[in-house]
Amino acid sequence: LNLDSIGFRTAGELVQVTHTPHADERHPMAIDTTWFSFVTDETGVANRKTGFLEDYIHHFVNAIRFKDGNVIRLHADTIITSFLDSVALAQVDSVWQEPIIKQRAVNHFSTNYDRNIAEQSKARRAGRYAELMRRDGRQQIFVGDFSPEELTNPVLSSYQKSRVKVVAGPPTSIAEPPKENVLEEVGNEPIDVSNIPQEKQDTGKIDLDNYLFQSEFDDDEVPTRTAPAPKAEDPGEELARPEVVQPLVYLPVVPGDGAPQKLQPFRSSRIIPYRLKFRTDYVTTQMDNGVLFDGLNSYSGIPQDFGYPPPGILLKANFKDLLEDYEFEGGIKVPTSFNGAEYFLTFHDKKKRLDKRVNTYYRRLRFTEDPNQPNSGIVLPTPPLQPPLQTPGTSAPNRSPIQKFENRIFLTQYQVRYPLDVFTSLRATATFRMDNANYLATDAYNLLADPERAQRIGLKGEYVFDNTLDIALNVKNGTRYKFFAEAVKGLRVNLGENPEFKLNDGFMTVLGADIRHYQRLLKWSVLAGRLAGATSFGKEKILYMLGGTDNWMFPQFDNSISLPDAENYAFRTVATNARGFKMNARNGNSYAVFNSELRMPVLRYFFPRSQSNFVKNFQVVGFFDIGTAWQGLNPFNEESPLNTWEQQGNNVSIEVNYFRDPIIFGYGTGIRTLLLGYMVRLDYAWGVETRVVQEPRLHFSIGMDF
């Protein structure tokens, strides 16, 4: 029998690092040629363990050397005389015992965090590690230096304490392998309780050394670790093993095992049905110049309003029930000019998959003057008036040079949203709107004028897709788009002495799309692109006026571009963005625009750990806008009003056709930052019209994205 294959040291054997069938170990990682690391949830929280492989004497064998030089090895309990015959015994030269050396893993905890380590990674050359944890509601990465020799004592989580029984394993000797810690079910095998620490008696005093305090603030500091084990100064001296914290044995707590779980009997009489109980979610006050609801951006009744309401103070309050199934929101908006006010109240039902939203009430009051006055911005025909009654023998009163109106808008909407999946939804909105323009009694002519009234109903359908992810404020990654179609019908409703309900002839149809894509660059930068357009047709149409930016704080109107006949347009709105131009740089019943922006938070690259909102959200932007608005089917029609100039007088009519490029574009740079809680945008742009670069223009606005 030749056992030369059994050497002094076994090589090539797999070594089992852990013996914890009731715990999960993940993310193994080599630290260097000696140390390794992995993540385990033995304590109830996924912490890191580090370890190394050490040599130990597994068992001894008898080595027998014969006179011819051959050596055989037998188990230490083998009786040599019974194994060898007399002839073989005569050839034995010497007999001795050899130890068989194997390897085993020695592990200890190196972290004692209060939350799980989701992932870990290591940069070998730098000798540093990175940990992924969830903190403050988002995933965060923490970086540090590796010290595998350092150790810490694990602390069981409250949940782990309630489900397991802790048994401290006895220290192991160098002569025998350590007892592997196995999460055994109670009753499988007898447990040696000689080394179980006795529970402390409750003396009524607080043990300050083992007292845990709960705080509403997160502990960002890394738990303190004990000093590393001393190293041997003499190279010949045997290096002592570090003082390793003995792993824990977890035994599930079952009834009858010293810690029975008390079960509470179920009492049906104590069931209390859920009742609606509302609470205040928030109350805010802010500066706002945006449109509160869809359907108000295209308006009727106020000629001077080019599409944006004036800046105002918006006071808003929100109320939700405890389960957030129902939500009420109401508010009032007062313009800084104190010219009227806006009131609204909405109700949102989110209890089921089909969300329902009702704008139960919206009312706006505003005063304005005759649009035909100088510097009004828009030239429209005089609204029809009822001629005043005349007394025989008197002349007709002179018309007031300034005609004032009181405009009232009432709006109610019902919207449903059905999510097809987490990214896609279908939406439908029904709208009823009333516009009233009352002439103020500035003179007798206006006193007898009938008010102008208009009522309309509309139905709008939308297909929405959105898989964007917010990387930072105003920095997204992904794609989102919306396709919509809307039909609006005019009607006449009178609930006074002579009730009347009549639908007007014809209707208005609107088709449009808005597609946006955000491509992430570097770490926090993004290249954003937007393609949008819409068209309206029918008996009534929407006049789209291209130019400016969204939520422009100081809008300007371009009077050099003539407006079409007002009889064909019941609504008008602004088509953005076209930076470098005033509003109404191009107009028509259709528009198309493309915007692109490169957004770079430059200060964040220089100060990555700064917590200042100004530093984190300060962005430098480079942009390019191109778009057009036109009447009819073809924006390049030579007979378009854009290319036609007419002048009549003294029985002479002059009409001149000339070329003006319907497509305009602009380019420039800008900055974005968070100032006093508002995302402020400042753009400096050069517009190009018919191949001529215009004077640069500054646009100041508030809001995010395009």
Side-chain angles (χ1 to χ4, degrees):
L1 178 63
N2 190 347
L3 299 180
D4 286 340
S5 60
I6 303 178
F8 180 80
R9 179 190 301 271
T10 59
E13 291 186 357
L14 294 177
V15 179
Q16 186 171 351
V17 176
T18 62
H19 300 268
T20 53
H22 290 266
D24 293 331
E25 287 83 18
R26 297 184 177 90
H27 309 296
M29 181 176 62
I31 300 176
D32 51 31
T33 57
T34 302
W35 292 88
F36 58 85
S37 171
F38 58 91
V39 177
T40 177
D41 60 356
E42 290 183 49
T43 62
V45 178
N47 277 283
R48 181 170 60 254
K49 265 190 171 184
T50 56
F52 60 92
L53 298 179
E54 69 169 4
D55 296 334
Y56 74 99
I57 300 175
H58 186 267
H59 63 278
F60 290 86
V61 297
N62 290 325
I64 304 173
R65 183 186 298 276
F66 294 93
K67 294 179 180 180
D68 58 1
N70 292 327
V71 179
I72 65 172
R73 293 174 177 85
L74 303 175
H75 195 275
D77 296 335
T78 304
I79 300 175
I80 299 177
T81 55
S82 62
F83 183 78
L84 301 176
D85 55 16
S86 59
V87 177
L89 286 174
Q91 299 298 323
V92 173
D93 178 67
S94 59
V95 178
W96 71 93
Q97 282 192 334
E98 288 184 354
I100 300 300
I101 307 299
K102 292 190 176 183
Q103 288 186 318
R104 62 186 174 190
V106 179
N107 309 321
H108 62 270
F109 282 95
S110 59
T111 63
N112 184 23
Y113 295 148
D114 60 349
R115 62 200 66 225
N116 295 327
I117 300 177
E119 292 184 25
Q120 67 170 354
S121 181
K122 178 181 180 294
R124 296 187 178 182
R125 294 184 178 179
R128 308 193 73 191
Y129 68 89
E131 296 173 342
L132 177 64
M133 294 185 183
R134 185 171 182 83
R135 185 182 290 272
D136 299 331
R138 59 192 178 93
Q139 299 287 351
Q140 298 188 28
I141 296 178
F142 299 90
V143 180
D145 296 325
F146 252 125
S147 298
E149 300 89 353
E150 297 183 6
L151 54 91
T152 185
N153 294 320
V155 177
L156 290 178
S157 65
S158 300
Y159 170 73
Q160 199 74 346
K161 289 180 180 179
S162 65
R163 62 182 289 268
V164 301
K165 181 178 180 181
V166 182
V167 178
T172 59
S173 64
I174 195 64
E176 63 176 285
K179 293 183 179 180
E180 304 293 353
N181 297 305
V182 181
L183 300 181
E184 298 178 349
E185 298 288 344
V186 174
N188 286 356
E189 292 184 4
I191 301 175
D192 183 10
V193 296
S194 59
N195 294 317
I196 299 179
Q198 300 295 326
E199 296 183 359
K200 296 183 179 181
Q201 299 294 330
D202 187 5
T203 60
K205 297 182 180 180
I206 298 176
D207 186 0
L208 297 180
D209 295 332
N210 297 294
Y211 197 82
L212 298 179
F213 293 90
Q214 183 177 358
S215 172
E216 59 180 325
F217 303 101
D218 293 330
D219 186 8
D220 295 332
E221 297 182 358
V222 178
T224 305
R225 298 175 176 177
T226 58
K231 299 182 179 179
E233 298 180 359
D234 186 3
E237 181 182 354
E238 182 181 358
L239 184 62
R241 282 175 47 189
E243 182 183 354
V244 179
V245 177
Q246 293 299 329
L248 302 178
V249 178
Y250 302 108
L251 301 178
V253 177
V254 297
D257 187 42
Q261 298 180 353
K262 185 178 180 181
L263 300 179
Q264 297 292 338
F266 176 73
R267 299 180 182 179
S268 59
S269 61
R270 300 187 65 179
I271 298 177
I272 300 177
Y274 169 71
R275 296 183 178 89
L276 288 176
K277 186 176 182 180
F278 288 88
R279 60 180 174 85
T280 303
D281 188 27
Y282 61 82
V283 177
T284 61
T285 303
Q286 64 186 40
M287 176 71 70
D288 184 86
N289 72 330
V291 179
L292 295 177
F293 302 105
D294 289 338
L296 292 176
N297 52 348
S298 53
Y299 73 99
S300 64
I302 303 180
Q304 280 91 344
D305 195 351
F306 342 126
Y308 286 136
I313 304 299
L314 176 62
L315 176 63
K316 186 166 56 176
N318 182 281
F319 304 91
K320 294 181 179 179
D321 75 311
L322 295 181
L323 297 182
E324 298 189 1
D325 291 335
Y326 305 103
E327 177 182 347
F328 287 94
E329 186 176 80
I332 179 174
K333 182 178 178 181
V334 180
T336 53
S337 60
F338 297 101
N339 181 9
E342 299 177 69
Y343 314 87
F344 67 92
L345 177 65
T346 64
F347 170 71
H348 199 177
D349 180 3
K350 300 180 290 185
K351 186 174 183 179
K352 298 182 179 180
R353 183 172 183 177
L354 183 66
D355 291 347
K356 295 173 281 294
R357 181 183 182 93
V358 183
N359 300 332
T360 56
Y361 179 78
Y362 172 84
R363 183 175 181 270
R364 185 178 77 179
L365 174 65
R366 191 172 299 171
F367 298 93
T368 186
E369 297 179 354
D370 188 349
N372 288 325
Q373 297 305 315
N375 301 323
S376 62
I378 299 178
V379 179
L380 296 175
T382 303
L385 299 177
Q386 179 71 26
L389 297 177
Q390 294 189 37
T391 303
T394 61
S395 60
N398 295 327
R399 184 179 175 185
S400 172
I402 299 179
Q403 195 171 14
K404 296 185 177 182
F405 302 86
E406 178 191 58
N407 295 272
R408 299 176 184 269
I409 296 178
F410 173 78
L411 177 77
T412 182
Q413 290 180 328
Y414 181 78
Q415 183 183 71
V416 293
R417 301 180 181 182
Y418 185 80
L420 300 178
D421 52 41
V422 69
F423 303 121
T424 311
S425 65
L426 297 176
R427 306 179 184 183
T429 306
T431 304
F432 174 71
R433 173 173 176 166
M434 294 191 303
D435 295 271
N436 295 330
N438 298 319
Y439 298 94
L440 299 182
T442 54
D443 56 21
Y445 194 88
N446 292 341
L447 181 62
L448 300 178
D450 292 334
E452 298 292 330
R453 293 187 175 91
Q455 297 89 24
R456 291 178 176 86
I457 56 174
L459 182 63
K460 182 178 182 180
E462 299 173 279
Y463 177 82
V464 180
F465 174 84
D466 188 352
N467 71 343
T468 55
L469 177 66
D470 290 326
I471 302 173
L473 193 64
N474 200 42
V475 177
K476 298 178 180 290
N477 186 22
T479 304
R480 58 177 178 171
Y481 53 80
K482 175 177 68 174
F483 298 95
F484 62 90
E486 183 177 9
V488 179
K489 181 76 171 179
L491 69 156
R492 295 172 59 185
V493 179
N494 186 5
L495 302 179
E497 297 180 356
N498 299 318
E500 182 183 14
F501 180 84
K502 180 181 179 181
L503 295 176
N504 296 344
D505 296 335
F507 58 90
M508 177 179 65
T509 302
V510 183
L511 301 176
D514 192 329
I515 305 171
R516 308 184 184 191
H517 179 71
Y518 308 88
Q519 183 62 47
R520 188 174 181 179
L521 303 176
L522 299 178
K523 190 173 182 180
W524 294 297
S525 302
V526 66
L527 179 62
R530 170 180 177 259
L531 177 63
T535 182
S536 63
F537 52 91
K539 187 175 180 60
E540 296 178 333
K541 293 186 285 291
I542 297 178
L543 180 63
Y544 297 102
M545 297 178 291
L546 183 68
T549 63
D550 285 332
N551 300 330
W552 196 357
M553 294 298 294
F554 307 103
Q556 298 176 342
F557 196 82
D558 191 348
N559 294 311
S560 63
I561 306 298
S562 61
L563 295 172
D565 188 358
E567 295 181 359
N568 298 325
Y569 293 89
F571 302 88
R572 54 186 70 97
T573 186
V574 179
T576 55
N577 291 324
R579 285 161 284 196
F581 297 92
K582 299 179 181 179
M583 294 181 180
N584 196 46
R586 296 292 184 268
N587 61 52
N589 64 302
S590 303
Y591 85 97
V593 63
F594 173 77
N595 311 114
S596 63
E597 287 186 359
L598 177 60
R599 304 169 184 170
M600 300 184 62
V602 292
L603 296 182
R604 195 167 185 177
Y605 290 101
F606 294 101
F607 309 100
R609 298 186 179 182
S610 175
Q611 298 300 318
S612 170
N613 286 330
F614 179 84
V615 173
K616 290 192 299 183
N617 301 308
F618 182 85
Q619 301 173 7
V620 175
V621 175
F623 59 84
F624 175 79
D625 302 330
I626 183 171
T628 184
W630 70 94
Q631 301 182 49
L633 298 177
N634 184 6
F636 297 94
N637 186 5
E638 296 181 356
E639 298 181 357
S640 171
L642 178 66
N643 301 325
T644 304
W645 177 78
E646 296 182 359
Q647 182 67 39
Q648 295 181 358
N650 298 327
N651 299 324
V652 177
S653 177
I654 302 175
E655 180 176 336
V656 178
N657 289 336
Y658 61 96
F659 175 75
R660 180 182 290 180
D661 195 340
I663 299 178
I664 58 176
F665 65 91
Y667 59 91
T669 185
I671 59 174
R672 310 280 187 270
T673 188
L674 195 65
L675 187 63
L676 301 177
Y678 298 92
M679 178 57 75
V680 179
R681 301 180 298 175
L682 189 65
D683 296 310
Y684 193 72
W686 288 265
V688 179
E689 182 179 10
T690 318
R691 303 181 182 89
V692 177
V693 180
Q694 309 296 314
E695 291 294 329
R697 189 174 302 277
L698 192 65
H699 299 272
F700 177 72
S701 52
I702 59 176
M704 292 185 290
D705 210 4
F706 295 100

